[in-house]
Amino acid sequence: MIESIVVERIVSRRDFGTIFSGRTKDGATVRVRADRNALMGVPEVGQIWSVHGEIENTTWGAQVKASRAVHALPSGRLMIDFMSRSVAGIGPGRAQRLWERFQERLPEALDVGDVDHIARVLEPDRPVLGPRLAAALVATWRKMAGEARLVEWLAAVGVTDVRLARRIYTLLGDEAPSRLQNNPWCLVPLLSWSKVDELGLRVARENGITVPQALPQRLTGAADAVVKDLIALGSTAIKTEDFRSKLATKLETTGNSPILGKAFALATERHAVVPAIEGLLRAPGCAVMEDHLAARLAKLARQGPSRQLRNVLDGIGANFGALSEEQALAVRKALSAGFTCLRGGAGTGKTHVAREICRLWEAAGGNVLLAAVAGKAALQLSRSTGRLARTVARTLHQLDERARIRNELAAHSDPDEREKLEARLRDLAHADENTMAIVDEASMLDLSSLHGLLRRLPNGARLLLIGDECQLPPVNFGLLFHRFVRDQRITATLQSVHRHSAASGIPVVAGLLRRRQMPNLALYGTSIRGVLLLPADGRDDIADKVISTRQRLLGQSEVMVLTPVNDGPCGVAGLNRRLHDDYVARTELQELRGPLGDLFSPGEPVVHRRNDYRRGLFNGSVGRVRRIERSQRSLTAVFDEEEHVFAGDELVDLALGYALTCHRAQGSEAKNVIIALSNSRLLDPSWLYTAVTRASELAVLVGQEKTIEEALGRPYPEDRRVVGLNWPPASEAQPTGHR
Amino acid sequence: MSRSIVPLVLEKLDPYLEQQAGSWATQPEQGRHPTLPATADGKINVRQLVRDLGFKETIEQHFYRKPELSGPVNAVAVEQGLKPIGSRAQEDEAYAAVRVIVGRNAQELSDLRRELSEREALIEALRNENGRLQARLGLLEETGMTLRYARDD
């Protein structure tokens, strides 16, 4: 059903959305529940909302469950109500004055937006107040009208996703419908190619174009779609011949067709790709970020230590206390420039060195900003340095929040209000010209995260990346740390293993895996330490043995379960379900079912599945369920000590977190680690090495030796990704003998 | 307005004018000074005249409205070289001054409003542009891609 409803009462406004009651055109009273994702704006009393949805029966009676609710444009005398309610300062009197002057042409006058004219009608004798009210009214009207017209346009072409509409409006503004009408293929970054192409062809035909297949907009859109695909695989560049071949596939044509030639020419002409050296074509958006960060980091790398830092280092001489000679050298090297990297395998004491770097930097009058890509890695960094570390995502979010509050402070003179705002600043991440930002597990640091961090760091702030290039690459696009550590001028290397005792045998096995050599593994049951093999044949057998081994080890100490795949009985979902059932059987707690069938109970670990900039949560953020409310279909979970409510369809963003993929476990450590060796192309040397080195005492590989051999036969991800990063930038490059 | 005010005022005005006219006549012909109260620009100072008669200032208005009162005063004033009460020239001057002030204020008001309107519209446009650029930067960092928003893209 679709209804125009005048909102009469806001029943409830919560994180998940709004429940309101109102009246239809026929005068019937109706109650509407609209989740946040279905709402285009925030309903207020007196507004007209166009509601799409189905009627459902609830304990409060019948209500419409809105699949889409959009603020509808008022007309006629309802304009008076709209104006007096929507803009502070325009009461009924001024609204009436405008209506009397413009009558039915008022919407048109607001569209034109002649602020001076409207101000004269609103307040002829107040030359200061009048224009301000008029400008606010025009802005409010345009935003609402723009959104409503865009939603109407999108609905007409079959796109009904309110979140998408909201995003397009933010990106394109009032002109969104006309821009989309002109080039629907511009939506490639936001929608799949098949959907965009279908939409584009339909719109073009409606515009009277009988053969739209060869339209330049479509051909450029296809090139954009190829670029999108390569970014999805983690690359930021592509070989020219590969690009041509994928473009032909996208356009469903052959390699020598005229349309492909035209599309290829348009791709470079309209910057769908940027030609680079060695026959590579770069993704333009990624190229912008890569070039920007390379230039900034090259400049930083030229900055030497400050006078205070030199004094501190001179003061301690060679006396680095508990640090080994190699570690002491690494400390000096890491502090020698504004941008450096610290690399080393598992157990070489990277975080130990990081702690000493923090201490010296602070002694020289600086401050540190500690971050890691994954939540568990951030926790580990906090523990090992004795200083607060956050996830990179949370750091970026807090730096933005700090900037926002600073702006608010500039506008507030009330001492009470200022005190409240200043109190909120105290716990937020901070960066100034004396900051050294240290990012651990940097092999997983993707292009957008580092770009985002750098643009939030003020000039003068320094950067240290710590990691192991043999561990997993970033989940998202780009490859940075792996490239930076090839430059010995900025890289300190740790090679001696300290963490794992020789008796555990883990360092020896890890070293072999790192070199892609097959280790000779003892069988599980013959020892309680080291890297052991528990033979299992087939996915069900692997799953059974993972579960039984976990139950056996759980009573003794912490256990981590890792698997390379998401689906199937020994994938993340299958193992999580079995472990959840086991948990519920033991605790008898209630459970809540999410839209994808996942079940959650209080106390269980959860993982966030996508980047949500509004919440400051990212794909892989790890939290724990605090409570569930089955009647509201909502769940409250704690991430980084902050509560987040997920209601209705928002639960799709959560998954159980008993069993993890290796990416989510990187940076964390457990006494016992169980590794499901399911056949997967993701099983490669970096995956195996990362998984095994999560264990401090015991790593149990559940599966077959053959699977390990196959994994070691695959190349490192670094060799599979094609990236366009130029490091060091051409102007900085030294003769090869130096490197 | 009560008509009874005229005889009341005339009762005092007539002997006053008589006296002032007499004083004027007694001065040497060369270098006579007006004996009626005058302003610096040679007009009758009606307010002072009312005070001299012992009335409140509210009576002043009647000298402008009632020819019965302004007539006798003007007769003496013209003789003494002063501009009469309610003269066209006096009115014109007063109105012209008001027109200048009103005109200047109105122009200033209009200029101010237009300027402010333009600024408010500009601020709003910049705020929107800022929002769009932030969103595009967000899209770039999230997807690695830019949106084709130019018309000829």
Side-chain angles (χ1 to χ4, degrees):
Chain A
M1 61 167 284
I2 304 170
E3 283 284 4
S4 272
I5 297 168
V6 179
V7 180
E8 292 186 328
R9 191 164 73 87
I10 304 297
V11 178
S12 156
R13 190 167 357 244
R14 304 272 292 276
D15 270 0
F16 65 82
T18 304
I19 300 174
F20 64 87
S21 63
R23 207 165 282 278
T24 64
K25 274 188 288 194
D26 306 332
T29 300
V30 65
R31 183 183 160 108
V32 178
R33 180 195 159 110
D35 289 349
R36 188 167 50 82
N37 294 339
L39 277 170
M40 186 91 174
V42 181
E44 299 287 353
V45 171
Q47 292 178 344
I48 307 165
W49 278 71
S50 175
V51 177
H52 301 235
E54 298 299 326
I55 294 177
E56 60 181 14
N57 288 315
T58 70
T59 46
W60 299 279
Q63 75 178 10
V64 178
K65 168 90 169 69
S67 57
R68 188 154 54 97
V70 184
H71 192 174
L73 287 180
S75 58
R77 291 189 67 84
L78 285 173
M79 287 294 289
I80 299 174
D81 208 34
F82 155 72
M83 290 185 292
S84 56
R85 286 180 188 278
S86 307
V87 183
I90 297 191
R94 291 186 177 121
Q96 181 71 33
R97 219 176 291 156
L98 274 177
W99 171 253
E100 281 167 8
R101 170 68 184 78
F102 294 103
Q103 300 277 326
E104 297 290 348
R105 301 188 67 181
L106 184 52
E108 190 185 324
L110 294 175
D111 277 340
V112 172
D114 184 343
V115 173
D116 185 32
H117 189 187
I118 294 165
R120 270 183 279 131
V121 179
L122 266 179
E123 269 302 339
D125 299 325
R126 297 200 178 176
V128 177
L129 180 65
R132 293 211 169 124
L133 290 175
L137 174 62
V138 168
T140 305
W141 169 262
R142 281 186 171 169
K143 182 170 189 305
M144 195 185 76
E147 286 177 353
R149 285 166 190 155
L150 175 61
V151 168
E152 197 181 322
W153 189 92
L154 288 171
V157 295
V159 179
T160 55
D161 182 344
V162 172
R163 272 203 287 193
L164 177 69
R166 201 184 297 148
R167 184 144 201 210
I168 295 171
Y169 183 76
T170 315
L171 287 162
L172 293 174
D174 299 332
E175 294 187 346
S178 64
R179 294 284 163 93
L180 294 178
Q181 189 74 31
N182 181 53
N183 181 10
W185 287 277
C186 78
L187 291 176
V188 163
L190 301 169
L191 287 170
S192 68
W193 167 249
S194 59
K195 205 161 191 173
V196 172
D197 197 33
E198 183 195 339
L199 174 77
L201 292 171
R202 189 177 347 138
V203 171
R205 286 193 189 102
E206 282 165 10
N207 287 344
I209 297 162
T210 47
V211 189
Q213 284 78 3
L215 276 175
Q217 293 98 315
R218 178 174 185 260
L219 302 183
T220 314
D224 287 338
V226 173
V227 169
K228 184 180 177 181
D229 291 348
L230 82 94
I231 292 172
L233 291 172
S235 294
T236 64
I238 187 169
K239 288 178 186 164
T240 304
E241 60 271 24
D242 290 346
F243 178 74
R244 275 189 81 98
S245 152
K246 288 178 189 299
L247 188 57
T249 308
K250 203 61 82 181
L251 291 168
E252 295 173 358
T253 186
T254 55
N256 50 9
S257 72
I259 202 169
L260 179 64
K262 189 177 169 189
F264 189 80
L266 279 167
T268 43
E269 189 184 306
R270 296 194 173 181
H271 308 292
V273 286
V274 181
I277 52 167
E278 296 168 0
L280 281 184
L281 297 172
R282 298 173 76 187
C286 297
V288 167
M289 288 191 277
E290 285 172 336
D291 292 348
H292 176 254
L293 69 82
R296 173 97 187 255
L297 292 176
K299 194 175 163 193
L300 274 178
R302 287 196 297 271
Q303 283 180 8
S306 65
R307 191 165 49 81
Q308 294 100 309
L309 183 60
R310 279 201 301 271
N311 289 342
V312 169
L313 290 172
D314 290 347
I316 58 170
N319 182 19
F320 275 89
L323 294 189
S324 68
E325 192 182 343
E326 181 187 63
Q327 289 171 332
L329 277 172
V331 169
R332 282 190 178 277
K333 179 110 188 212
L335 288 169
S336 65
F339 168 53
T340 52
C341 295
L342 173 63
R343 65 185 276 265
T348 52
K350 294 190 293 293
T351 48
H352 195 46
V353 169
R355 184 170 58 217
E356 187 61 10
I357 289 169
C358 292
R359 191 183 71 77
L360 294 173
W361 182 252
E362 286 168 351
N367 60 80
V368 292
L369 177 68
L370 298 175
V373 176
K376 291 199 172 192
L379 190 64
Q380 187 68 22
L381 185 61
S382 292
R383 285 180 184 148
S384 56
T385 59
R387 292 160 178 85
L388 178 64
R390 303 170 177 86
T391 58
V392 172
R394 190 162 177 77
T395 303
L396 302 186
H397 181 65
Q398 288 197 359
L399 290 174
D400 285 347
E401 181 69 358
R402 172 172 287 278
R404 196 187 60 74
I405 293 176
R406 285 223 167 279
N407 281 341
E408 265 194 64
L409 269 171
H412 275 90
S413 55
D414 176 29
D416 289 345
E417 195 60 36
R418 289 184 68 84
E419 197 179 327
K420 276 186 211 160
L421 290 169
E422 275 161 5
R424 283 167 59 195
L425 283 180
R426 272 175 225 132
D427 296 330
L428 294 176
H430 162 84
D432 58 33
E433 66 277 10
N434 296 317
T435 297
M436 177 184 280
I438 299 177
V439 183
D440 197 10
E441 303 297 342
S443 70
M444 278 173 65
L445 191 62
D446 59 57
L447 177 58
S448 63
S449 296
L450 184 55
H451 184 263
L453 179 63
L454 281 177
R455 75 179 168 85
R456 287 168 178 88
L457 290 181
N459 282 334
R462 292 166 170 241
L463 178 69
L464 168 62
L465 300 180
I466 302 175
D468 178 355
E469 75 278 16
C470 288
Q471 290 195 5
L472 294 171
V475 176
N476 289 325
F477 51 90
L479 204 63
L480 302 164
F481 186 75
H482 301 73
R483 294 286 186 267
F484 293 143
V485 295
R486 289 178 182 174
D487 184 352
Q488 290 177 22
R489 291 172 303 170
I490 57 162
T491 304
T493 303
L494 297 172
Q495 286 176 311
S496 306
V497 175
H498 299 267
R499 190 204 294 166
H500 304 287
S501 68
S504 79
I506 293 176
V508 176
V509 175
L512 289 167
L513 294 174
R514 198 181 162 96
R515 294 190 295 275
R516 296 169 62 189
Q517 293 172 0
M518 184 65 196
N520 189 15
L521 298 173
L523 290 180
Y524 179 61
T526 59
S527 170
I528 55 166
R529 309 186 82 185
V531 183
L532 308 175
L533 179 70
L534 175 56
D537 195 7
R539 298 185 305 171
D540 291 329
D541 193 27
I542 292 173
D544 287 345
K545 285 180 174 158
V546 166
I547 301 288
S548 61
T549 309
R550 184 179 184 275
Q551 283 166 342
R552 199 170 307 131
L553 293 171
L554 196 58
Q556 299 165 24
S557 58
E558 52 182 342
V559 180
M560 183 187 285
V561 176
L562 299 176
T563 173
V565 292
N566 281 310
D567 300 321
C570 57
V572 171
L575 291 171
N576 274 332
R577 170 52 72 87
R578 287 184 63 171
L579 291 164
H580 166 81
D581 291 345
D582 182 49
Y583 177 77
V584 170
R586 279 188 287 113
T587 60
E588 296 183 351
L589 287 167
Q590 284 196 323
E591 52 190 10
L592 178 71
R593 186 179 286 276
L596 301 180
D598 308 63
L599 293 162
F600 304 96
S601 286
E604 290 194 305
V606 282
V607 176
H608 201 257
R609 290 189 211 247
R610 70 175 184 94
N611 293 343
D612 184 339
Y613 293 86
R614 191 184 60 86
R615 291 184 191 269
L617 294 180
F618 285 70
N619 184 5
S621 296
V622 179
R624 196 164 283 275
V625 179
R626 178 158 282 174
R627 60 183 166 273
I628 58 172
E629 286 183 53
R630 293 173 59 155
S631 60
Q632 295 281 326
R633 281 195 64 236
S634 78
L635 175 157
T636 303
V638 180
F639 289 84
D640 278 354
E641 296 173 15
E642 195 174 306
E643 280 197 357
H644 294 268
V645 177
F646 297 82
D649 292 345
E650 290 177 342
L651 286 167
V652 78
D653 293 339
L654 293 181
L656 279 175
Y658 288 110
L660 299 172
T661 58
C662 222
H663 275 99
R664 284 174 182 160
Q666 185 158 331
S668 60
E669 188 182 89
K671 212 167 181 180
N672 304 302
V673 175
I674 304 168
I675 302 159
L677 289 177
S678 177
N679 266 322
S680 164
R681 62 177 180 83
L682 292 174
L683 262 186
D684 63 18
S686 72
W687 196 97
L688 272 181
Y689 172 72
T690 307
V692 164
T693 51
R694 297 312 90 209
S696 61
E697 285 197 1
L698 174 67
V700 184
L701 293 160
V702 184
Q704 295 190 313
E705 275 195 330
K706 189 179 70 174
T707 311
I708 301 172
E709 284 168 357
E710 283 170 2
L712 293 175
R714 296 189 178 105
Y716 269 103
E718 183 189 357
D719 301 325
R720 296 201 300 267
R721 284 194 186 194
V722 183
V723 295
L725 176 73
N726 293 314
W727 184 267
S731 57
E732 306 283 330
Q734 295 286 315
T736 46
H738 184 83
R739 295 182 65 191
Chain B
M1 178 57 52
S2 168
R3 292 179 71 76
S4 62
I5 194 76
V6 174
L8 195 70
V9 174
L10 283 175
E11 198 177 312
K12 286 192 174 185
L13 182 65
D14 284 345
Y16 172 81
L17 289 174
E18 194 66 33
Q19 189 191 346
Q20 300 307 316
S23 299
W24 165 268
T26 57
Q27 289 182 51
E29 204 167 322
Q30 294 296 317
R32 277 177 179 159
H33 294 285
T35 54
L36 284 173
T39 62
D41 55 349
K43 297 171 195 162
I44 282 283
N45 187 339
V46 182
R47 186 165 301 169
Q48 188 57 48
L49 186 146
V50 169
R51 282 194 202 119
D52 290 350
L53 294 174
F55 291 117
K56 289 182 180 172
E57 287 177 7
T58 50
I59 296 298
E60 184 184 346
Q61 55 176 317
H62 300 295
F63 280 84
Y64 292 101
R65 293 180 181 174
K66 304 294 173 194
E68 300 95 307
L69 298 179
S70 60
V73 176
N74 285 345
V76 178
V78 170
E79 188 186 14
Q80 295 190 1
L82 298 174
K83 290 174 186 166
I85 300 169
S87 71
R88 177 65 59 87
Q90 202 174 346
E91 282 179 358
D92 286 352
E93 253 180 60
Y95 279 117
V98 170
R99 274 199 301 276
V100 166
I101 292 166
V102 169
R104 192 169 58 223
N105 285 350
Q107 187 56 46
E108 281 174 5
L109 211 67
S110 179
D111 290 347
L112 181 63
R113 183 176 16 236
R114 193 178 313 109
E115 196 176 317
L116 198 60
S117 296
E118 282 166 10
R119 277 190 199 175
E120 289 290 339
L122 179 65
I123 289 167
E124 200 52 48
L126 290 174
R127 195 175 284 140
N128 288 340
E129 181 66 10
N130 192 28
R132 275 194 294 280
L133 292 173
Q134 289 277 3
R136 286 170 194 170
L137 181 58
L139 180 77
L140 173 72
E141 287 188 345
E142 186 186 334
T143 65
M145 299 191 74
T146 52
L147 193 72
R148 295 186 176 276
Y149 48 85
R151 287 209 169 273
D152 54 352
D153 231 358

